[in-house]
């Protein structure tokens, strides 16, 4: 009741939905999606903007830009050293299994 009087006095919308719509219009946002779709939609991020921001401030804040930076580092490393596969270490796994068994016997873990 008190909010209604105040809304009438200042010509402001009363309901929560109308407040949200007014805020969206003021900040240039699209209309508010229904609650069920809110979790499905994600804002699109421009990677170039994130890179420029990281250069300007000297560090990465966004997890997306950190991930892309890590991917670039891994790609460069693979080009430099070649791709390491686990098939090269297949013979070593037999040795490690034997060592594990010996250790388990020594400490009584069977």
């Amino acid at each position: 009741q008190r909010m209604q009087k105040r809304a009438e006095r200042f010509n402001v919308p009363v309901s929560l939905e109308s407040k949200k719509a007014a805020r969206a219009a003021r900040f240039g946002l699209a209309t508010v999606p229904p609650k069920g779709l809110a979790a499905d939609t994600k804002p699109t991020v421009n990677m170039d903007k994130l890179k420029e921001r990281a250069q300007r401030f000297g560090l990465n804040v966004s997890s997306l830009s950190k991930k892309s930076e890590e991917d670039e580092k891994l790609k460069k490393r693979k080009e430099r050293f070649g791709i390491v596969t686990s098939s090269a270490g297949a013979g070593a796994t037999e040795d490690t299994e034997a060592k594990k068994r010996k250790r388990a016997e020594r400490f009584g873990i069977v």
Side-chain angles (χ1 to χ4, degrees):
Q1 199 178 34
R2 194 170 159 199
M3 289 178 69
Q4 288 177 348
K5 287 181 182 179
R6 186 178 189 285
E8 290 172 3
R9 192 174 353 149
F10 292 109
N11 292 328
V12 181
V14 181
S15 71
L16 194 62
E17 294 300 320
S18 59
K19 282 183 181 181
K20 288 181 182 179
R23 181 177 169 78
R26 183 175 36 178
F27 288 107
L29 301 173
T31 57
V32 180
K35 291 180 184 176
L37 299 176
D40 296 339
T41 59
K42 292 184 180 179
T44 56
V45 178
N46 190 355
M47 293 303 289
D48 294 332
K49 275 193 170 185
L50 288 176
K51 285 181 182 178
E52 288 176 11
R53 184 176 177 85
Q55 287 176 348
R56 187 177 352 146
F57 293 110
L59 58 116
N60 277 335
V61 178
S62 172
S63 61
L64 292 175
S65 61
K66 285 181 184 177
K67 185 178 179 186
S68 67
E69 190 174 287
E70 292 294 324
D71 290 342
E72 288 176 15
K73 285 182 183 179
L74 285 174
K75 186 178 177 183
K76 287 180 183 178
R77 183 175 174 83
K78 285 180 183 178
E79 288 174 0
R80 201 171 5 153
F81 296 110
I83 299 173
V84 178
T85 59
S86 59
S87 62
T93 58
E94 295 171 1
D95 290 338
T96 57
E97 290 298 321
K99 286 181 182 179
K100 284 181 182 179
R101 268 188 260 116
K102 285 182 182 178
R103 180 177 169 77
E105 290 171 4
R106 196 176 345 142
F107 289 103
I109 306 169
V110 179

